[in-house]
């Protein structure tokens, strides 16, 4: 069709679409959302659904695809994960209502919501145990700030943030979407790939701090922000931009946000993006949650408790009072095992109050969200009764105090709702019988119309004395009273004629009605719709009653999460033999029998082998605050480094630690340079990545930092690498004065222990047996005597000829180094690199008397006496 003959429906579609050029438009058509033109092509490919066509535009077929409304959430999630934004266009009236405006009137439609990665609220689109943050980064002159919000829980935070700290904070929060001022997206484009987020430009006016302040005040109904704290212009700008974006995407239905909380960098341990990645705190290097510290520590039984655990792991505290309060809470749960188990059993059935409340506030909830709040608040009250008399530490006492105060609301919801409501309001049937008399009457008419009519007929028979009187129904008259012609005179005469109104006379019958019967007919015909409308009104009133208590409900949800986490960490400590750490303001770092929690779990699951625990003492009163760790590859150096970094983090998040004993002076920063790979997107080699990360450590680490470094300088020439590693260690010792573990293969560096007072040597022990190396995984003071690289290569399965050749080359090089006379080039020239004589075959394994004796044993045929005799024979053979 030409532009001039475009259909009204397509004209409406194009008009709506013009307002959302960067989003896919889900255009509601009855029971389907349909997409047209380029949107249809893109969606069909992304969703792997059929692409068809409908009509023509400018002479060309219009591509079209569609998804059912009832299954739309799954398709939305797929599109969001693939980087699309979706504008949801709904029908704002029924076809019947549209016809009242004219026979050919198009049903009114408009976008009711813009779905983006940071604005998801549906239960099926979110991970229950993780936050989904939307963040905004603002720049006002030389000041910078970031605000972030989870609209599914109402959490709202802001902090001043130097530009250099943007990356580390994004790594900590892992937001799904980041808002920046229009024109600034190019400066931050690399953040999209690095942190797997959607970068969304927003008009500069949205970041204007004056307008932003007005938006914040209007949202929270306050005249000024003074009640919330002192915010910088940049912080106000970031918060205002978030509110503007939410207003735009939610089409005026702003989520229920809590009052903004101002965070300070100085209150949490600073952990950069590389360190978070290397330590695999909440995301594994291979992707996903498995194999992370979070996966091992998560024993929570509520969704809000799991989200709190992730926040604690991501943001360990450096405020001593906070750490002690959290440890005291875990301590109480640890000491009161029975009570802790009862609490956990109780919490298992507590629903996610935060997200149910948020869905109700955005009008995306349903009867089940009402029931979730009813059940959750009732269980919170029961928990309050259980714990009120207990002698609780301060943190748990405050939590328990926030569990009560909802009796009236719970009573209202229990009276109003059935036990198991349906998912959607339009399904009806969720209001309990007896709650509203009007609704009960309508339901009776809807469900028991015939019995109601029969009861009325019985009453009319009694009033008239005509036993043959019937109430009947047809499509012309509707409900009517039918009597035979012989009773016509009686019905038409007073006093019955005052009640019974004549409607029709046939050959044998006379038909009447009454005002009461007409009203009943109207009620019966409309009962179904009326019941649904009544339930909708009651749902709205219950929702309003809940939202009036939103602040108190939010506090209750937070309290449940706090109690859940304390009990979960206690359960973890009991089952995994973790110990309460001593955390103070000293410079201590003394770990006895420390273990890597993730590796220990993996060993237990895969082979049942025990983890070899190790000590680490970097305290100020020890010999050294820096340990130079040597030993072969595969011996466990990297695991040892990581486990000690995790020890500080776990302690300062307020948990017991995987050790026999631990004394940790507050750590301000945690730095890890363990493992690296190419960064092809930025054109960086492995060595360049390593140097950038090392530079960040040396430029930022203070004297309360904990630094772990592994194999600095290995990505370049030997002498270059050695010199860089040497200078790095000296800088850590002389300038940063940090506590550190420094692993290296440069054995020359062990000499630094004799030159620097604060450096000591440690090594991971191995045992060599008949040319093979056995890893003992034990760390002790001292330096490794060699690298055992050839032995490790042999374990890896290199061909025997290669291993034999490597031994020849290694021996020649070591001989030259000992003699000190020949240059490396001369030695290499002297080696028969091009010799036609093949390397000698490896020597066959030597047999022993024990081996020979073992070959003759048939265990299934041994008697107990023969087995005992055999043990003595084996012992004698071993002596030989």
């Amino acid at each position: 069709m030409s532009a001039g003959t475009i259909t009204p429906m397509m004209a409406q579609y194009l008009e709506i679409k013009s307002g959302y050029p960067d989003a896919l438009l889900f255009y509601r058509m009855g029971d389907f959302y349909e997409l047209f033109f380029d949107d249809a092509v893109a969606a069909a490919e992304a969703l792997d659904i059929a692409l068809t066509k409908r009509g023509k535009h400018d002479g060309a077929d219009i591509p079209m695809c569609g998804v059912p409304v009832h299954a739309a959430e799954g398709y939305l999630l797929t599109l969001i994960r693939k980087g699309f934004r979706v504008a949801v266009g709904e029908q704002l009236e029924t076809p019947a209502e549209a016809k009242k405006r004219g026979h050919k009137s198009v049903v009114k439609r408009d976008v009711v919501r813009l779905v983006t990665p940071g604005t998801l609220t549906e239960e099926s689109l979110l991970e229950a145990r993780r936050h989904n943050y939307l963040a905004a980064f603002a720049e006002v002159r030389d000041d910078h700030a970031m605000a972030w919000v989870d609209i599914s829980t109402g959490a709202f935070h802001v902090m001043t943030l130097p530009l250099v700290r943007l990356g580390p904070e994004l790594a900590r929060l892992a937001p799904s979407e980041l808002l920046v001022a229009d024109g600034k997206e190019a400066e931050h484009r690399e953040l999209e790939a690095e942190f797997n987020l959607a970068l969304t430009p927003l008009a500069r006016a949205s970041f204007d701090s004056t307008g932003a302040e007005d938006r914040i005040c209007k949202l929270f109904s306050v005249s000024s922000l003074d009640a919330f704290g002192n915010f910088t212009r940049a912080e106000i700008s970031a918060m205002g931009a978030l509110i503007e974006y939410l207003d735009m995407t939610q089409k005026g239905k702003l989520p229920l946000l809590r009052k903004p909380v101002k965070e300070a960098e100085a209150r949490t341990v600073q952990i950069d993006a590389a360190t978070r990645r290397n330590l695999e705190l909440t995301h594994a290097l291979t992707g996903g949650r498995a194999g992370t510290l979070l996966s091992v520590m998560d024993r929570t039984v509520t969704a809000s408790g799991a989200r709190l655990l992730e926040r604690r792991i991501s943001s360990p505290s450096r405020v001593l009072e906070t750490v002690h309060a959290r440890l005291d809470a875990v301590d109480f749960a640890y000491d009161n095992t029975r009570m802790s188990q009862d609490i956990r059993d109780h919490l298992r059935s507590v629903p996610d109050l935060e997200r149910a409340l948020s869905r109700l506030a955005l009008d995306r909830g349903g009867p089940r969200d009402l029931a979730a709040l009813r059940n959750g608040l009732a269980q919170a009250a029961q928990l309050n009764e259980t714990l009120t008399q207990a002698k609780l530490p301060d943190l748990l006492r405050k939590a328990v105090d926030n569990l009560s105060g909802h009796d009236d609301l719970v009573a209202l919801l229990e009276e109003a709702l059935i036990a198991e409501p349906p998912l959607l309001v339009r399904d009806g049937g969720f209001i309990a019988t007896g709650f509203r008399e009007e609704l009960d009457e309508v339901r009776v008419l809807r469900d028991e119309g015939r019995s109601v009519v029969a009861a009325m007929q019985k009453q009319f028979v009694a009033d008239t004395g005509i036993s043959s009187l019937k109430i009947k129904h047809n499509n012309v008259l509707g409900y009517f009273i039918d009597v035979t012609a012989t009773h016509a005179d009686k019905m038409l005469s007073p006093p019955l004629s005052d009640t019974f109104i004549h409607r029709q006379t046939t050959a044998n019958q006379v038909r009447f009605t009454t005002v009461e019967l007409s009203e009943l007919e109207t009620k019966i015909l409309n009962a179904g719709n009326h019941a649904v409308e009544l339930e909708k009104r009651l749902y709205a009133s219950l929702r309003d009653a809940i939202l009036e208590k939103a602040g108190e409900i939010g506090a209750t949800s937070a309290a449940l999460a706090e109690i859940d986490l304390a009990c979960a960490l206690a359960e973890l400590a009991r089952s995994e033999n973790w110990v309460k750490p001593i955390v103070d303001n000293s410079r201590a770092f003394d770990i006895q029998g420390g273990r890597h929690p993730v590796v220990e779990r993996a060993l237990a699951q895969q082979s049942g082998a025990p983890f070899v625990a190790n000590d680490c003492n970097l305290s100020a009163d020890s010999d050294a605050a820096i340990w130079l760790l040597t030993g072969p590859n595969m011996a466990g150096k990297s695991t040892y480094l990581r486990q000690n970094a995790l020890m500080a983090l776990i302690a300062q998040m307020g948990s017991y630690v995987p050790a026999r004993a631990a004394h940790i002076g507050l750590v301000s920063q945690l730095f890890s340079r363990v493992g690296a790979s190419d960064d092809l997107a930025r054109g960086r080699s492995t060595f360049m990545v390593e140097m950038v990360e090392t530079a960040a450590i040396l430029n930022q680490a203070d004297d309360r930092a904990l630094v772990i470094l592994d194999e600095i300088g290995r990505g370049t020439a030997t002498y270059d690498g050695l010199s860089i590693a040497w200078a790095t260690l000296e800088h850590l010792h002389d300038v940063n004065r940090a506590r550190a573990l420094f692993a290296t293969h440069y054995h020359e560096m062990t000499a630094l222990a004799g030159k620097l007072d604060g450096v000591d040597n440690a090594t991971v022990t191995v045992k060599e047996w008949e040319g093979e190396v056995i890893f003992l995984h034990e760390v002790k003071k001292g330096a490794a005597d060699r690298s055992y690289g050839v032995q490790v290569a042999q374990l890896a399965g290199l061909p025997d000829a290669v291993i034999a050749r490597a031994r020849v080359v290694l021996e020649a090089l070591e001989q030259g180094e000992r003699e000190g006379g020949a240059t490396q080039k001369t030695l290499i020239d002297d080696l028969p690199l091009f010799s036609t004589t093949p390397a000698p075959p490896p020597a066959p394994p030597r047999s022993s008397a024990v081996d020979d004796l073992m070959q003759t044993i048939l265990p299934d045929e041994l008697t107990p006496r023969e087995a005992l005799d055999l043990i003595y024979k084996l012992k004698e053979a071993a002596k030989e």
Side-chain angles (χ1 to χ4, degrees):
M1 68 186 72
S2 67
T5 60
I6 190 170
T7 65
M9 187 214 78
M10 190 53 65
Q12 183 191 62
Y13 170 86
L14 293 172
E15 181 183 359
I16 297 173
K17 173 63 184 175
S18 65
Y20 302 90
D22 299 326
L24 301 180
L25 176 58
F26 269 32
Y27 184 76
R28 180 73 177 264
M29 295 280 286
D31 292 332
F32 280 82
Y33 288 119
E34 297 189 356
L35 300 95
F36 301 97
F37 299 104
D38 291 343
D39 284 6
V41 176
E45 181 180 0
L47 299 173
D48 193 23
I49 58 178
L51 180 68
T52 60
K53 55 188 177 181
R54 173 182 289 179
K56 292 182 178 293
H57 182 66
D58 288 342
D61 291 333
I62 300 175
M64 188 272 284
C65 68
V67 299
V69 170
H70 67 84
E73 287 186 5
Y75 292 110
L76 274 175
L77 181 60
T78 300
L79 291 171
I80 293 299
R81 285 179 173 170
K82 291 189 175 183
F84 294 97
R85 294 150 58 88
V86 179
V88 180
E90 290 286 359
Q91 295 179 180
L92 304 182
E93 61 180 359
T94 65
E97 290 170 332
K99 284 183 179 179
K100 292 178 182 178
R101 294 184 286 106
H103 180 65
K104 294 187 177 181
S105 296
V106 178
V107 173
K108 288 181 181 178
R109 294 179 179 86
D110 203 354
V111 171
V112 297
R113 176 188 174 199
L114 185 61
V115 185
T116 70
T119 59
L120 302 177
T121 54
E122 287 81 357
E123 192 172 3
S124 61
L125 304 187
L126 293 170
E127 289 187 60
R129 304 178 76 80
R130 276 194 163 149
H131 278 288
N132 185 55
Y133 287 124
L134 168 70
F137 183 66
E139 305 175 41
V140 177
R141 290 181 288 277
D142 295 330
D143 292 331
H144 303 80
M146 184 167 72
W148 62 97
V149 62
D150 181 348
I151 70 170
S152 70
T153 66
F156 192 8
H157 298 262
V158 66
M159 71 186 302
T160 295
L161 193 69
L163 186 57
V164 71
R165 291 291 306 164
L166 177 58
E169 288 304 311
L170 290 176
R172 175 172 75 96
L173 298 169
S176 299
E177 189 173 3
L178 176 66
L179 309 178
V180 296
D182 197 14
K184 292 285 186 180
E185 61 269 29
E187 298 176 21
H188 303 298
R189 185 61 64 190
E190 64 185 28
L191 298 175
E192 275 193 302
E194 184 173 357
F195 298 107
N196 191 31
L197 54 78
L199 191 66
T200 303
L202 203 59
R204 288 179 177 270
S206 301
F207 284 88
D208 175 68
S209 60
T210 303
E213 186 169 2
D214 292 339
R215 285 194 292 275
I216 301 168
C217 290
K218 182 179 178 182
L219 174 64
F220 293 104
S221 301
V222 294
S223 57
S224 77
L225 298 180
D226 294 343
F228 300 154
N230 296 318
F231 298 105
T232 66
R233 302 311 297 178
E235 288 173 333
I236 292 172
S237 170
M239 290 190 291
L242 278 179
I243 294 171
E244 175 82 354
Y245 187 67
L246 290 175
D247 187 53
M248 179 181 72
T249 57
Q250 308 309 303
K251 308 308 269 182
K253 290 182 180 177
L254 281 171
L256 195 66
L257 301 183
R258 299 180 198 163
K259 295 174 182 177
V261 176
K262 183 170 181 174
E263 291 197 1
E265 280 189 282
R267 297 184 64 84
T268 59
V269 178
Q270 298 304 300
I271 310 173
D272 63 19
T275 301
R276 291 181 187 278
R277 185 169 58 249
N278 292 335
L279 294 180
E280 299 182 282
L281 301 181
T282 58
H283 292 82
L285 290 172
T286 54
R289 192 173 187 264
T292 63
L293 177 65
L294 176 62
S295 70
V296 169
M297 292 190 67
D298 192 358
R299 302 292 178 89
T300 57
V301 294
T302 67
S304 58
R307 294 193 293 268
L308 179 60
L309 172 63
E310 183 173 23
R311 293 200 302 273
R312 293 275 167 86
I313 290 176
S314 298
S315 310
S317 177
R318 54 190 289 191
V319 178
L320 195 59
E321 293 77 12
T322 300
V323 176
H324 284 170
R326 293 173 181 174
L327 284 172
D328 288 346
V330 179
D331 212 23
F332 173 84
Y334 185 90
D335 292 339
N336 295 274
T337 305
R338 180 62 181 271
M339 181 181 290
S340 176
Q341 291 295 346
D342 289 345
I343 292 171
R344 283 169 59 77
D345 290 342
H346 196 88
L347 288 172
R348 288 182 202 280
S349 56
V350 171
D352 195 338
L353 299 182
E354 285 180 321
R355 288 190 167 168
L357 186 63
S358 177
R359 286 191 293 271
L360 290 172
L362 286 165
D363 205 15
R364 290 183 201 139
R368 288 185 187 172
D369 291 312
L370 300 180
L373 286 157
R374 172 197 63 191
N375 299 341
L377 295 177
Q379 288 160 335
Q382 292 175 16
L383 200 56
N384 173 267
E385 292 179 11
T386 302
L387 296 176
T388 296
Q389 302 304 320
K391 191 175 181 180
L392 300 171
D394 289 345
L395 188 64
L396 292 182
R397 171 55 58 197
K398 290 176 183 176
V400 168
D401 289 345
N402 282 325
L403 295 180
S404 60
H406 307 291
D407 293 349
D408 291 344
L409 180 58
V410 170
L412 172 64
L413 294 173
E414 285 183 341
E415 183 186 3
L417 299 172
I418 64 172
E420 297 290 339
L423 179 63
L424 302 173
V425 175
R426 67 169 180 262
D427 293 337
F430 55 87
I431 298 296
T433 301
F435 181 67
R436 282 291 182 274
E437 184 177 350
E438 182 184 4
L439 177 61
D440 292 344
E441 291 174 355
V442 171
R443 283 176 172 171
V444 169
L445 289 173
R446 181 195 64 193
D447 303 332
E448 303 175 21
R450 288 185 180 180
S451 62
V452 173
V453 170
M456 183 174 283
Q457 176 179 297
K458 186 176 181 181
Q459 182 63 46
F460 288 161
V461 169
D463 293 343
T464 62
I466 301 172
S467 59
S468 61
L469 181 149
K470 304 290 183 185
I471 295 179
K472 296 182 179 180
H473 180 274
N474 64 35
N475 293 332
V476 177
L477 297 181
Y479 283 100
F480 58 88
I481 300 163
D482 185 88
V483 296
T484 60
T486 56
H487 297 106
D489 292 341
K490 184 177 183 180
M491 294 288 291
L492 293 169
S493 303
L496 293 182
S497 61
D498 296 338
T499 302
F500 295 91
I501 303 166
H502 179 260
R503 294 198 65 184
Q504 187 181 54
T505 301
T506 65
N508 299 314
Q509 310 292 127
V510 183
R511 292 164 179 174
F512 299 85
T513 188
T514 68
V515 172
E516 186 181 6
L517 180 60
S518 297
E519 291 177 349
L520 177 63
E521 178 180 13
T522 302
K523 288 180 179 179
I524 290 175
L525 293 176
N526 297 327
N529 290 334
H530 192 195
V532 171
E533 290 303 316
L534 282 174
E535 289 205 73
K536 283 182 179 179
R537 290 204 295 270
L538 291 171
Y539 168 83
S541 67
L542 293 173
R543 184 175 72 94
D544 292 343
I546 287 170
L547 295 181
E548 285 178 8
K549 299 286 186 180
E552 295 93 325
I553 294 171
T556 296
S557 179
L560 290 168
E562 196 71 66
I563 295 169
D564 181 22
L565 181 56
C567 294
L569 292 177
E571 170 65 22
L572 174 69
R574 276 192 296 267
S575 63
E576 302 298 326
N577 194 27
W578 290 20
V579 67
K580 183 179 180 180
I582 298 170
V583 183
D584 55 27
N585 269 320
S586 70
R587 289 200 12 112
F589 191 87
D590 185 6
I591 309 298
Q592 299 175 32
R595 313 186 302 277
H596 192 301
V598 180
V599 176
E600 183 178 36
R601 171 74 62 83
L603 284 174
Q605 292 177 342
Q606 294 168 10
S607 63
F611 185 92
V612 179
N614 280 297
D615 299 345
C616 180
N617 190 355
L618 306 177
S619 303
D621 58 355
S622 67
D623 295 336
I626 299 177
W627 278 16
L628 183 65
L629 188 64
T630 53
N633 286 316
M634 298 290 293
K637 295 195 302 298
S638 295
T639 297
Y640 180 74
L641 264 58
R642 287 186 173 101
Q643 77 186 42
N644 284 293
L646 292 177
M647 208 71 64
L649 183 150
I650 294 170
Q652 288 185 225
M653 65 166 278
S655 170
Y656 282 31
V657 297
R660 191 172 62 253
H663 181 190
I664 297 171
L666 282 176
V667 169
S668 61
Q669 302 161 295
L670 199 55
F671 291 106
S672 166
R673 226 265 11 117
V674 181
S677 58
D678 291 340
D679 188 349
L680 299 179
R682 301 192 206 178
R684 293 175 174 175
S685 66
T686 301
F687 180 67
M688 185 60 178
V689 172
E690 177 186 304
M691 290 298 98
V692 168
E693 293 178 2
T694 304
I697 295 171
L698 298 182
N699 289 327
Q700 297 176 47
D702 60 28
D703 63 351
R704 281 198 165 272
L706 177 63
V707 179
I708 59 172
L709 295 168
D710 190 16
E711 308 291 358
I712 296 299
R714 66 180 170 182
T716 187
T718 302
Y719 291 126
D720 285 348
L722 174 57
S723 62
I724 291 169
W726 191 291
T728 297
L729 184 57
E730 286 182 336
H731 194 281
L732 278 174
H733 179 272
D734 298 337
V735 180
N736 302 109
R737 305 191 67 79
R739 290 163 284 183
L741 291 169
F742 194 115
T744 186
H745 276 298
Y746 296 128
H747 291 181
E748 296 88 345
M749 291 185 64
T750 57
L752 280 170
K755 298 178 180 180
L756 303 175
D757 293 337
V759 176
D760 208 348
N761 288 323
T763 184
V764 185
T765 56
V766 297
K767 184 178 181 65
E768 197 170 4
W769 174 258
E770 294 186 356
E772 295 186 8
V773 63
I774 300 171
F775 301 115
L776 302 180
H777 304 297
E778 294 177 357
V779 177
K780 66 179 183 179
K781 290 294 184 71
D785 56 350
R786 52 191 296 197
S787 291
Y788 299 97
V790 174
Q791 288 85 345
V792 173
Q794 185 176 7
L795 285 175
L798 264 66
D800 292 340
V802 173
I803 298 299
R805 178 62 174 153
R807 293 186 193 278
V808 173
V809 174
L810 178 61
E811 184 178 348
L813 292 172
E814 289 178 342
Q815 179 183 350
E817 186 174 325
R818 288 193 299 270
E819 295 174 355
T823 64
Q824 189 179 71
K825 182 180 185 306
T826 303
L827 287 167
I828 294 297
D829 288 342
D830 289 342
L831 289 170
L833 296 176
F834 302 100
S835 170
T836 57
T837 304
R846 293 183 300 168
S847 63
S848 66
V850 173
D851 293 329
D852 295 339
L853 188 56
M854 292 293 288
Q855 295 299 321
T856 65
I857 296 173
L858 298 174
D860 293 340
E861 299 178 6
L862 290 178
T863 65
R865 180 55 187 264
E866 289 172 338
L868 183 61
D869 291 341
L870 183 59
I871 290 173
Y872 288 113
K873 291 179 183 179
L874 288 170
K875 190 171 182 181
E876 287 299 319
K879 291 180 181 179
E880 299 173 6

